[in-house]
Amino acid sequence: MNFSLVREMMRKDFQEVRRNGYVFYSLLLLPILLVAVSVIDSLAIALSTSGQSRALLSTFSTIMVFIPAIVTSLIGSTSVILEKNNHSLEPLLATPITDSELFAGKALAPLSVGILLSWVAFTLYIVVMDALTYGHLGYLLFPTDLTLVQMFFLAPVTGMLGTFLTLLVSSKMKDVRAAQQVSALVVLPLLLLLFLPIVASGADLIINFVAGVGFLVAALIIFFVSVKAFRRETILISWGK
Amino acid sequence: MIQVSGLTRVYGSTVGVEDLNFEVGDAEIFALLGPNGSGKTTTLRLMTGMISPTNGYVSVDGTRTDQLKLLPEIHRKIGILPEVPGHYENLSAYRNLQFYGRMYGMSDDAIESRTKDLMVEFELWDKRDSPVATFSKGMKQKLAILRTVMHDPKYVFLDEPLSGLDPESSKFVRDYMKSLKENGKTVILSTHDLDDADKLSDRVAVIRNRLLAIDSPSALKAQAFKRTVVFHIESIRGLDLKEIEAMAFVNSARISKDSLVMEVDSPEKNNPDITAYLVGKGFRIQFIGEIRRSLEDVYLSIVEKSKEGKL
Ligand SMILES: Nc1ncnc2c1ncn2[C@@H]1O[C@H](COP(=O)(O)OP(=O)(O)OP(=O)(O)O)[C@@H](O)[C@H]1O
Ligand SMILES: [Mg+2]
């Protein structure tokens, strides 16, 4: 795999997405919004109650695990549908790029931004929560083991799941908004389904981990299906229909 | 050299192309000519390894295009202009070309100088920073052709390169193709414009999902038709067509207004005899001419015959 090709493709995708104001500003707003919601929801518990119910706090940070899934579906669908509408995949496929490099470029652009934004959000949450509670509690409440597992395992894995699902869905759609909506419709319920055990268990570390493995397996399965949808031949012969 | 052998591509139950056999030599302008749906795009995509054949193969300088591992190697020496230009419309013309240069592994310095030379030559340099979305159709097509030759490929494949261009741009692009050939490059283009194929190409392959004919434009014209002569006569009334048709060297004869139109074996030999006959019958000949067939006539007759199953 030639990573300089992949990197250039990612750079080009970012530039294109950057020029799509709606997507760009959604991406900026999302982490700020989710951090604000999480902080407001968890602050009261953090300040008032016993150590035991403080464990519940981590269910609030769980919401930030959604960031990669949402971000990847926004960026992924935008970049694929733009290529489709521009008919720019055929000349791109005429270059010495391999099918796997094309797929890697298309997947890594959303995935890297998705994971990065979720880390920004987690960090913000941790810093803000610690700053607001330290005076009262006298110790640093965050990060907990659970936030670390969510940040470095669950978030990347849901990002992968969101990316591969979005690429697969976008390969079958023509319109940016429709692709974004369908991706969201497919990705979000699936995530919610997988999140139920986490929330129900009161943010148990093991259950989080198991759910993460579940996402990973789902992501891998969808990876193989979507790689097929991105073969040169498939793109040229079937995508136009 | 490009070799096409037994090349067949089927889409479900539709035949894209069937059993194509031909070779394209170096420094040649080669045109694929055929009506809509005749398999021109399919052939170009097969020749460039963009899609795989159902049967047969294509080799470029001895490397088969269905060896996916070697495809990047092949793609480094070919440029492909698809039917639709396919630019990144939100990005500037320069950024589009830079992206492609990088995809071909060119250094940024090389990209800069090459892009400048080409954009100046194609009269697009002033527009380099404008988003491609603001370009006219013809400008987009020129930019796409420029993109196709960015990495200085040995083989240049162009799917309907002249469609949508005004006469001036069209001439510019035709001249550019000729200059590619003069620089030792091979140009393979598809077109349904006979005039372009006639003016531009060294050889023409007429296809209608199969190869119907392949030769230089002039040879195709000579093959497809016997030579046709016309005698304009002051008053043609009373001419007995039967007697004309009975002459051994006349293949066919008809009367059109005040003219006698005949397909003959050799006008140089036969015109004096026909003249002598007509004068002997008291007809007053005003002038004698030969009908020059265009490639269009050839093409229509070839395609017509293939429809009737005669080819
Ligand atoms: N992706 C596809 N799926 C199914 N059939 C196809 C596909 N692409 C082409 N065909 C069929 O293959 C045949 C040849 O099509 P092709 O596009 O190669 O013709 P063409 O000569 O380029 O036509 P045009 O002049 O309209 O561009 C047609 O019958 C077409 O319907
Ligand atoms: Mg075509």
Side-chain angles (χ1 to χ4, degrees):
Chain A
M1 177 137 351
N2 181 341
F3 278 99
S4 67
L5 294 191
V6 175
R7 218 177 315 122
E8 176 61 10
M9 249 196 308
M10 288 167 66
R11 203 177 299 146
K12 188 270 298 164
D13 276 1
F14 291 143
Q15 286 172 345
E16 280 210 298
V17 172
R18 170 72 189 81
R19 279 174 175 69
N20 186 322
Y22 158 77
V23 174
F24 184 70
Y25 292 110
S26 314
L27 290 176
L28 281 187
L29 273 178
L30 184 73
I32 298 171
L33 209 70
L34 288 186
V35 170
V37 168
S38 309
V39 168
I40 292 165
D41 283 351
S42 41
L43 198 57
I45 301 180
L47 290 177
S48 63
T49 52
S50 65
Q52 202 191 9
S53 56
R54 235 174 259 137
L56 275 174
L57 277 177
S58 293
T59 49
F60 293 108
S61 59
T62 300
I63 198 168
M64 282 173 291
V65 175
F66 279 82
I67 291 178
I70 299 168
V71 169
T72 53
S73 74
L74 266 177
I75 299 184
S77 53
T78 309
S79 87
V80 172
I81 303 292
L82 277 176
E83 296 266 14
K84 263 192 191 184
N85 291 349
N86 287 333
H87 300 278
S88 48
L89 279 168
E90 188 163 356
L92 179 56
L93 291 172
T95 69
I97 193 178
T98 63
D99 293 5
S100 24
E101 283 157 1
L102 174 72
F103 188 79
K106 283 287 158 228
L108 285 176
L111 192 56
S112 56
V113 179
I115 293 175
L116 209 75
L117 280 180
S118 76
W119 287 352
V120 168
F122 271 112
T123 310
L124 259 176
Y125 176 76
I126 290 169
V127 168
V128 170
M129 285 300 287
D130 280 342
L132 291 176
T133 58
Y134 186 73
H136 181 78
L137 298 172
Y139 63 94
L140 291 179
L141 191 57
F142 286 102
T144 62
D145 291 350
L146 195 62
T147 32
L148 292 178
V149 166
Q150 290 183 336
M151 202 170 156
F152 294 108
F153 180 51
L154 272 169
V157 163
T158 56
M160 286 164 63
L161 188 61
T163 303
F164 301 146
L165 262 178
T166 302
L167 292 185
L168 184 61
V169 168
S170 309
S171 77
K172 318 255 178 238
M173 317 270 311
K174 285 206 167 101
D175 170 67
V176 180
R177 289 293 158 86
Q180 284 165 354
Q181 281 154 11
V182 172
S183 305
L185 277 180
V186 176
V187 173
L188 293 181
L190 194 73
L191 286 178
L192 279 178
L193 199 73
L194 291 162
F195 265 108
L196 276 179
I198 299 183
V199 177
S201 72
D204 180 78
L205 194 62
I206 303 292
I207 301 241
N208 261 272
F209 201 77
V210 170
V213 173
F215 294 164
L216 189 61
V217 171
L220 286 178
I221 293 170
I222 295 160
F223 169 78
F224 287 111
V225 184
S226 51
V227 162
K228 274 196 186 145
F230 274 74
R231 283 199 300 227
R232 242 186 195 78
E233 176 108 15
T234 317
I235 292 174
L236 292 175
I237 303 292
S238 318
W239 276 30
K241 288 174 191 166
Chain B
M1 194 187 74
I2 298 178
Q3 197 187 347
V4 172
S5 178
L7 192 64
T8 302
R9 170 71 203 215
V10 179
Y11 300 100
S13 56
T14 314
V15 174
V17 290
E18 198 177 2
D19 197 28
L20 299 183
N21 293 284
F22 59 86
E23 282 175 6
V24 183
D26 289 345
E28 183 177 16
I29 300 183
F30 183 90
L32 284 167
L33 182 66
N36 291 130
S38 60
K40 301 181 294 293
T41 300
T42 301
T43 307
L44 290 177
R45 284 175 167 183
L46 287 166
M47 289 178 80
T48 52
M50 298 284 269
I51 58 174
S52 53
T54 311
N55 250 313
Y57 67 89
V58 176
S59 76
V60 176
D61 291 339
T63 310
R64 281 175 59 149
T65 57
D66 51 1
Q67 291 176 279
L68 282 186
K69 280 232 171 73
L70 300 176
L71 196 58
E73 218 39 64
I74 294 175
H75 278 185
R76 250 179 271 284
K77 59 180 160 193
I78 69 183
I80 308 173
L81 173 80
E83 230 163 354
V84 185
H87 300 293
Y88 297 108
E89 300 263 335
N90 294 332
L91 303 179
S92 72
Y94 187 84
R95 181 67 185 103
N96 269 273
L97 296 175
Q98 184 190 48
F99 173 70
Y100 275 90
R102 288 175 177 167
M103 284 293 131
Y104 284 103
M106 293 168 71
S107 74
D108 279 2
D109 284 346
I111 291 173
E112 217 177 300
S113 66
R114 177 82 173 150
T115 305
K116 179 161 187 199
D117 290 349
L118 285 170
M119 286 190 108
V120 168
E121 186 179 352
F122 279 66
E123 291 174 358
L124 291 171
W125 182 242
D126 294 342
K127 292 275 187 181
R128 62 188 176 280
D129 294 325
S130 311
V132 179
T134 64
F135 279 28
S136 73
K137 195 176 165 206
M139 285 158 71
K140 285 180 186 171
Q141 182 72 354
K142 275 164 82 176
L143 184 67
I145 293 170
L146 201 159
R147 178 190 68 208
T148 309
V149 298
M150 260 294 276
H151 57 297
D152 196 25
K154 178 176 171 195
Y155 298 103
V156 182
F157 291 84
L158 306 163
D159 200 350
E160 315 218 359
L162 301 167
S163 75
L165 295 180
D166 63 22
E168 198 188 328
S169 311
S170 172
K171 174 155 185 351
F172 172 83
V173 171
R174 274 186 275 125
D175 289 345
Y176 187 73
M177 284 187 227
K178 286 180 192 155
S179 78
L180 285 174
K181 174 191 148 108
E182 275 151 28
N183 289 315
K185 315 288 184 199
T186 302
V187 179
I188 296 138
L189 68 136
S190 82
T191 179
H192 45 233
D193 191 313
L194 294 132
D195 212 28
D196 290 334
D198 203 357
K199 277 187 211 153
L200 197 60
S201 48
D202 299 315
R203 282 192 307 148
V204 178
V206 183
I207 61 171
R208 209 171 74 96
N209 310 102
R210 290 185 304 117
L211 187 60
L212 302 181
I214 182 166
D215 220 320
S216 68
S218 55
L220 281 177
K221 288 181 216 172
Q223 274 166 25
F225 292 100
K226 292 266 164 51
R227 294 171 69 183
T228 307
V229 292
V230 186
F231 283 69
H232 283 263
I233 296 167
E234 196 180 66
S235 168
I236 205 159
R237 217 169 299 153
L239 181 77
D240 186 354
L241 208 54
K242 293 250 163 55
E243 278 187 37
I244 304 268
E245 282 170 336
M247 295 179 189
F249 48 79
V250 174
N251 296 294
S252 73
R254 66 191 160 85
I255 290 169
S256 164
K257 289 196 192 141
D258 273 338
S259 315
L260 172 61
V261 183
M262 290 161 289
E263 276 189 5
V264 297
D265 293 340
S266 161
E268 290 77 6
K269 281 191 196 143
N270 309 141
N271 281 0
D273 294 337
I274 300 167
T275 312
Y277 167 83
L278 289 172
V279 171
K281 292 277 176 190
F283 291 103
R284 287 158 61 82
I285 299 169
Q286 291 168 312
F287 45 90
I288 304 173
E290 180 173 356
I291 296 181
R292 293 265 166 215
R293 294 296 187 164
S294 68
L295 190 60
E296 177 155 1
D297 301 319
V298 179
Y299 168 83
L300 291 176
S301 104
I302 292 174
V303 169
E304 221 32 66
K305 277 185 203 156
S306 93
K307 278 187 193 157
E308 291 162 10
K310 288 184 196 157
L311 266 179

